[in-house]
Amino acid sequence: MKAEINGINISYTDEGAGESVIFIHAFPLNSRMWDEQIAAVKDRCRAISIDLRGFGDSDAPEGVYEMSHMAADVRQLMRRLSIDRATLVGLSMGGYVSLAFYRAYPEAVRAMVLADTRATSDNEEGREKREKSAERAEREGAAAIADDMVTVALSDETIEKQPDVVRRMRTITEANSPRGIAAAQRGMAARVDSTDLLSRMNFPVLIIVGSEDKLTPVKDSEALRDAIPGAGLRIIEGAGHLSNMERAEEFNSALTDFLDRRVLKAG
Ligand code: MLT
């Protein structure tokens, strides 16, 4: 489905009914990375998955996509769908967007799942790397970025034993626009530190991380758990950064358990 939001077309899926749960994807993927999670939760709640600007079937306008712009797209989509409050499930860049969303629209957050992400911003070296990657996307296209990401985003075990996951990650990445990839990379470089928000997050929060995550290692998730009051942490053994795709069954069990106990039955 598509909606015109903030001057561009944003693509999304919308299945099920009841409490709204919005899935926000990682870089450089799109809403398709959540297919297995949507299938697992759509009988319990209203499950929405957005293609952030520049990704999937959404438009890729010019400019830098700051996390606050992406958060504003999510908020506007909620308004279109008559949703006042939602549970956000964000993985990596999706987590950065979720935190930016909370900063701007705290009243619209019901609960949050932060997977394979962090609250801190980049250092100078990180920003420089992102600019190089953005230029490479513009010069060589999405496949070059998929090449760069496979070995860092997936665990060694996943690369060795789950060729289907490697293929899926590449296929999803290659479907994205090089301009969108570059703009999001620059937006992530510009993101602000969200650490100041964490102690104020007074709603149910689950943190999930792959034990082998090389991009946002377990210690980043432990820092989130320690700073957010009452937050739970689930470590998924053997998974890398894309824990929901690499170990879908374990991820889904952590997610549905959290939704059932802390969000849906809590009323
Ligand atoms: C992601 O998975 O969204 C990215 O790896 C996040 C990042 O580059 O910081």
Side-chain angles (χ1 to χ4, degrees):
M1 280 177 267
K2 288 213 177 172
E4 202 193 315
I5 280 172
N6 298 327
I8 57 172
N9 284 309
I10 289 287
S11 174
Y12 64 98
T13 61
D14 184 3
E15 297 185 60
E19 279 275 350
S20 298
V21 179
I22 304 182
F23 290 84
I24 310 178
H25 63 80
F27 170 94
L29 289 102
N30 61 43
S31 62
R32 300 302 311 271
M33 71 171 252
W34 294 116
D35 286 353
E36 283 152 304
Q37 283 67 51
I38 302 286
V41 306
K42 68 181 185 192
D43 292 337
R44 295 172 155 78
C45 58
R46 183 175 183 186
I48 292 158
S49 185
I50 182 170
D51 278 337
L52 294 168
R53 52 176 57 214
F55 293 90
D57 292 324
S58 289
D59 288 349
E62 302 273 359
V64 171
Y65 304 166
E66 291 187 14
M67 302 300 100
S68 58
H69 300 151
M70 292 175 166
D73 293 340
V74 174
R75 185 71 189 98
Q76 197 55 25
L77 178 63
M78 285 172 66
R79 290 199 180 99
R80 286 298 168 77
L81 302 177
S82 302
I83 297 168
D84 293 332
R85 262 187 357 145
T87 295
L88 303 182
V89 182
L91 192 141
S92 197
M93 179 176 75
Y96 308 157
V97 174
S98 299
L99 292 171
F101 184 101
Y102 174 60
R103 184 181 294 286
Y105 319 105
E107 72 293 343
V109 181
R110 165 81 181 85
M112 207 180 270
V113 178
L114 292 169
D116 300 278
T117 193
R118 56 161 65 101
T120 49
S121 53
D122 289 352
N123 59 22
E124 201 41 50
E125 188 193 340
R127 281 192 282 270
E128 278 167 19
K129 270 200 192 153
R130 288 199 196 275
E131 181 52 34
K132 288 210 175 81
S133 165
E135 287 167 14
R136 180 158 146 87
E138 288 166 335
R139 220 177 31 242
E140 297 170 45
I145 303 306
D147 288 343
D148 292 346
M149 289 299 290
V150 166
T151 50
V152 283
L154 303 173
S155 73
D156 296 346
E157 194 184 328
T158 299
I159 293 171
E160 194 187 321
K161 299 199 180 136
Q162 293 178 274
D164 50 322
V165 172
V166 179
R167 258 195 310 276
R168 199 167 145 234
M169 188 216 149
R170 279 187 178 280
T171 306
I172 296 175
T173 300
E174 288 171 12
N176 293 324
S177 111
R179 186 203 289 180
I181 290 174
Q185 195 62 287
R186 293 186 176 114
M188 287 192 286
R191 78 187 189 283
V192 296
D193 193 304
S194 297
T195 308
D196 63 303
L197 300 176
L198 304 178
S199 65
R200 285 188 252 150
M201 291 171 58
N202 57 354
F203 44 77
V205 176
L206 173 66
I207 295 147
I208 303 179
V209 66
S211 65
E212 309 307 312
D213 187 336
K214 299 166 215 164
L215 284 170
T216 47
V218 170
K219 69 171 171 34
D220 290 335
S221 286
E222 288 170 343
L224 288 173
R225 187 236 4 237
D226 292 346
I228 301 172
L233 170 63
R234 289 280 286 264
I235 299 177
I236 302 195
E237 288 305 320
H241 186 61
L242 297 178
S243 57
N244 72 310
M245 294 173 67
E246 298 181 59
R247 298 288 183 277
E249 210 173 300
E250 291 88 336
F251 190 101
N252 291 351
S253 140
L255 175 64
T256 53
D257 182 52
F258 172 73
L259 291 176
D260 287 348
R261 284 190 307 108
R262 305 285 312 275
V263 181
L264 304 176
K265 301 224 167 79

